[in-house]
Structures are given as structure tokens and as C-alpha cells.
Amino acid sequence: METLQQLIMGFQIAATPINLLLCFLGALAGTIIGALPGIGPSAGIAILLPLTFGMNPTSAMIMMAGLYCGAMYGGTITSVLINVPGESSSVMTCLDGYQMALQGRAGKALGIAAIGSFIAGTLSVVFLMLLSIPLVKFALSFGPPEYFALMLMGLCTIAGLTGGSVLKALMGAFLGLLISTPGMDAFSGLPRLTFGFTGLLGGVDFLVVAVGLFGIGEVLYNAEQIMKMEFVTEKIKIKEVWPNRAEWRASAMPITSARGRSREWPGPNRPTTPPPAAPWSRCSRWAFPVPEPRRSCWGR
Amino acid sequence: MKRAEQILGAVLLLFAIYIGYESTLIETGADFGKVGAGFMPFWLSVGLGITSAALLGRAVTLPLDRFDPAFFPDRAGGMRVFWVFAGYLLAVVVMKPLGMLISLAILMATTMPVFGSRNWKIIALTAIVTPVCVYVVFGLWLKVDLPMGILENVLSIY
């Protein structure tokens, strides 16, 4: 009962006009920052932290929360439109979102991503609020063997994720793990595979690899084809971003089952949760088969 | 794709051998049951070596009709990829000595003929304006510590 009262009090504070306005401004700025490849929520908050100087702490926290959520969603924009993830958690959005953009349905993809983020984020907060105590107990029972098993499970899903050659998938897994090894060894503190570069002591950031993997690949693909830019001049109505009934049906499972609940797991962080969730999202690919033509752009 | 897979398998096999060799040179440090800093990279390179050797063997032995059509449709496409790739490589190489602004200008100048206009005036204008915008926004406004290279004494950030 006390928890409920505190929750109501929290809503009362958060729902004041000034806090709602600050939350909106934070989400807007976060979306713009998140859309820049390579600048994620953490960097966005660090850059825009001076904006909150002089505010009362509650409003500042609300603005920062809006900024964080906006930046998390902002990464989706570049994932969908140009196949370059804006930040690490939107890597898997490239798989489905960009394919929808190639069909000329980028608006729908962004709409589904926004609605999905809202629903999954809200569900996550509710789950966290209700289950935080048992979840903490569960998380504390996680030791190195459990983390190892969890990571192994993530790697095993590679076999399920690859539609083509399992051999190439395993090669990719080994190569990916090798890319993660440069830096200081966690146990001995010795540098490994840094080749004398001090910049490699901190390891290779996941986002750099993801942007390189998707971004460079897309750039080279476009270079190989003769890139033809088509600009759609017709006006796009905001209601066209809203998914229709079939799209709702196809998106419901990935939104509620996979992305919502997988973030409650104690072990994996943002980059590692989406891959296990991806098999669920395949249902959306069944619903939206990818046609042959590759180049298209916003709208239509 | 047969040739592409042959190249991929060979390159990754050489890479795995090199990383495996480098891993054996890493000090073990404290004795954790002979598991040192080089343990993970060594066994990962073994895994990569085995899979890349398998890919190479498969690409060499299987007949051509078992593979997808060629990756590059024509020589011109390959040249464009090479041109963009060379531009990226050049920009990375000159990033430290010449600074980010000059390397960005080089990158724009080398990639624009492939992706955008072939008008040299537009290319020159874009190659100049883009680094200036980056410098103003990130260097002057957001105070990001950009690698300035030879321009360090000319253009100040702080």
C-alpha cells in the first residue's frame, strides 16, 4: 500500500506541466542526438548535462530520463533509414526495419519501433517496479558460471539466426569474439593484442564494430551499385506511420514477448538482449516479405 | 561467390594464424592454472582457423555451380568499391598526422565522385564546408577534443 502511495506521489510530481515540458524537450533532444551514429544515450546525456544546471534535481532527472529514452529511440531512425545503427541497442532493428524501408515503408517501421519502444519500455518499468525485490535476489544468485551459460545461450542462437551457412555464422562468432579480446585482461591486468597502441587498451567498443559492420557494408554496397537517389516529394501524413491491423498482429509478439521481457533478465546488457529476441521478430518478416527491388526511400 | 569465399577463407586463415601466434607471446602473468591473458584469443583463433580452413576447403573443392552468382557484377562496380575503400583507408592513415579535418576533406573528396556529384566545384565546396561545419559544431560549440594534427596550432578548440 505504501508503495502505491509513493507511486501516486511520483506521478503527481512528474505530471506537472513544467516537468512534462522538460521531459518532452529532453526526449526531443535525445531523439536528435540518438539519430547521430556513434553518439548513444550515455554520450548524449554527458553532452547535454550542462542544460540541467540550475534546475531543481527532480526536474533535471525527469529531463535526463526523457533524453535517455529519446536517444534510445533515436538510434532506430538511422537503423531503419540507412541501415546504420545509431547506438548499440538498435543493431537488430537494422534487420527488419531497413528491409521495410526498402519496401518504401520506412514510416511504418519507425512508427512500429516507436510504439514498440513505448510498450516494451512501459512493461519493463512495470515489471521492474513489481518484481524488483525477487529480481534482485535472482540477480544476486548469478555468478560467473551462470553468466557464462547465459552468454553461451546467446552464442547458440547464432545457429537459429542464420538462414544460410552455419559455417559462416560460426566464423563470424569466432571473429566477433576475437575482436572483443584486445585490451586489458580482466584477471591478470596484462595488455593483450594491443600491438603497442594505447588506444586499444580500453578494448574495441561494440558500437564502433556495429557501425563499421552495417555502415561500411552499406556504403560499399551502394558504391558497387550505381547509387540512384530518389526523393519523394509527396506529403506524408502522420497517420501513415500508424501500423494497420495486420502489422499490429505481426508486431505484437516481438514487442510484448521478446523485447519487453528480455530486458528483465539480469545478465545481458542492451547489445546482448536483442539477438536472443530476434527469432520472435521473424514473424514480422514472414508477414512482410521482402521484394526484389532494393533501392527506395522514405514514404511511398 | 566461389572466388570471394576462397579469398575470405584464406585471409581469415592467415589472420587466425597470426593472432594465434601473437597470443602465445602474451605473458601468462599469475598462475591461474596456466590460463593467462592469451588463453581466450588463442583458442578463439584456433576456432577461427578451423572454420576458415573449412570454408576455404569447401570453396576450393566444390564445383562453381554450387555457389551463388559472382558478387561483383562488373569491373566498374569493383573499381568503385576499391575507390571508396581506398578513400577510407587514406583518411584513417592521415588522421593522426594531418588531423581529422583534413582527413575528412580527403574522405569527402574521394567518395563524392562515387556517390554524388561529379562536378569538381561542388566536390571542392563540400570537401571544405563539411570539415568547417564539423569543427564549428563539435570543436567550438560542443568542445569535443578532435584530433587536429598539423592544424593544432592554427585552429584552437579551447
Side-chain angles (χ1 to χ4, degrees), chain B residues 87-128:
Chain B
Y88 272 116
L89 202 62
L90 186 64
V92 171
V93 169
V94 301
M95 177 79 80
K96 198 171 175 70
L98 300 185
M100 186 190 168
L101 301 183
I102 294 175
S103 65
L104 187 58
I106 292 171
L107 185 65
M108 295 304 293
T110 51
T111 52
M112 267 198 75
V114 177
F115 293 114
S117 171
R118 303 206 169 190
N119 184 334
W120 69 268
K121 289 177 188 168
I122 296 174
I123 293 172
L125 188 69
T126 314
I128 293 167

Side-chain angles (χ1 to χ4, degrees), chain A residues 1-296:
Chain A
M1 195 64 191
E2 191 187 345
T3 311
L4 203 63
Q5 281 177 341
Q6 287 175 344
L7 189 68
I8 291 168
M9 194 181 77
F11 272 119
Q12 281 176 342
I13 295 169
T16 55
I18 186 69
N19 284 340
L20 287 176
L21 179 68
L22 288 172
C23 184
F24 171 73
L25 290 176
L28 186 68
T31 306
I32 294 167
I33 283 184
L36 298 171
I39 302 182
S42 310
I45 286 175
I47 290 170
L48 296 182
L49 195 61
L51 291 179
T52 60
F53 290 174
M55 286 183 193
N56 79 63
T58 310
S59 299
M61 285 295 288
I62 288 171
M63 188 178 180
M64 287 293 112
L67 203 151
Y68 184 85
C69 292
M72 288 283 284
Y73 171 70
T76 308
I77 296 172
T78 46
S79 297
V80 169
L81 296 182
I82 56 172
N83 202 22
V84 176
E87 40 98 21
S88 53
S89 64
S90 57
V91 167
M92 298 309 285
T93 312
C94 294
L95 299 182
D96 284 352
Y98 185 63
Q99 294 305 321
M100 284 182 74
L102 293 178
Q103 297 173 32
R105 297 193 299 156
K108 295 270 188 193
L110 287 172
I112 290 169
I115 295 163
S117 292
F118 173 75
I119 294 173
T122 309
L123 280 178
S124 299
V125 170
V126 172
F127 275 127
L128 195 68
M129 193 178 67
L130 297 175
L131 303 173
S132 56
I133 294 172
L135 201 65
V136 165
K137 287 178 185 167
F138 180 59
L140 288 175
S141 68
F142 260 60
E146 286 80 12
Y147 279 118
F148 176 75
L150 202 59
M151 291 301 128
L152 198 63
M153 190 197 81
L155 292 173
C156 287
T157 55
I158 290 168
L161 280 173
T162 51
S165 168
V166 177
L167 186 64
K168 285 181 189 169
L170 288 172
M171 266 174 64
F174 283 126
L175 189 61
L177 287 169
L178 257 181
I179 291 171
S180 73
T181 53
M184 297 281 271
D185 180 41
F187 294 104
S188 61
L190 289 168
R192 67 179 173 199
L193 302 180
T194 56
F195 305 102
F197 291 99
T198 48
L200 280 175
L201 281 172
V204 183
D205 190 48
F206 177 77
L207 187 56
V208 174
V209 178
V211 170
L213 186 69
F214 286 91
I216 302 287
E218 191 62 22
V219 166
L220 294 180
Y221 177 84
N222 285 327
E224 187 246 338
Q225 311 281 313
I226 295 177
M227 194 177 168
K228 289 175 186 166
M229 284 185 162
E230 298 170 25
F231 294 99
V232 178
T233 52
E234 64 190 80
K235 287 185 178 175
I236 307 294
K237 292 177 182 171
I238 196 75
K239 70 177 182 184
E240 290 174 23
V241 171
W242 194 258
N244 59 31
R245 183 174 289 188
E247 288 160 341
W248 268 118
R249 202 177 297 127
S251 309
M253 186 64 131
I255 288 172
T256 53
S257 299
R259 293 188 183 168
R261 289 178 199 163
S262 63
R263 287 182 187 176
E264 300 302 322
W265 299 345
N269 51 13
R270 282 181 286 119
T272 47
T273 40
W280 276 278
S281 70
R282 283 190 167 189
C283 58
S284 62
R285 255 175 275 167
W286 296 334
F288 313 128
V290 183
E292 265 313 301
R294 237 190 94 84
R295 293 263 68 80
S296 72

Side-chain angles (χ1 to χ4, degrees), chain B residues 114-157:
Chain B
V114 177
F115 293 114
S117 171
R118 303 206 169 190
N119 184 334
W120 69 268
K121 289 177 188 168
I122 296 174
I123 293 172
L125 188 69
T126 314
I128 293 167
V129 169
T130 307
V132 170
C133 291
V134 167
Y135 172 68
V136 170
V137 173
F138 291 97
L140 294 181
W141 185 36
L142 295 174
K143 305 288 183 196
V144 177
D145 190 13
L146 301 172
M148 299 300 285
I150 55 171
L151 298 176
E152 196 163 4
N153 297 324
V154 183
L155 300 171
S156 66
I157 292 175

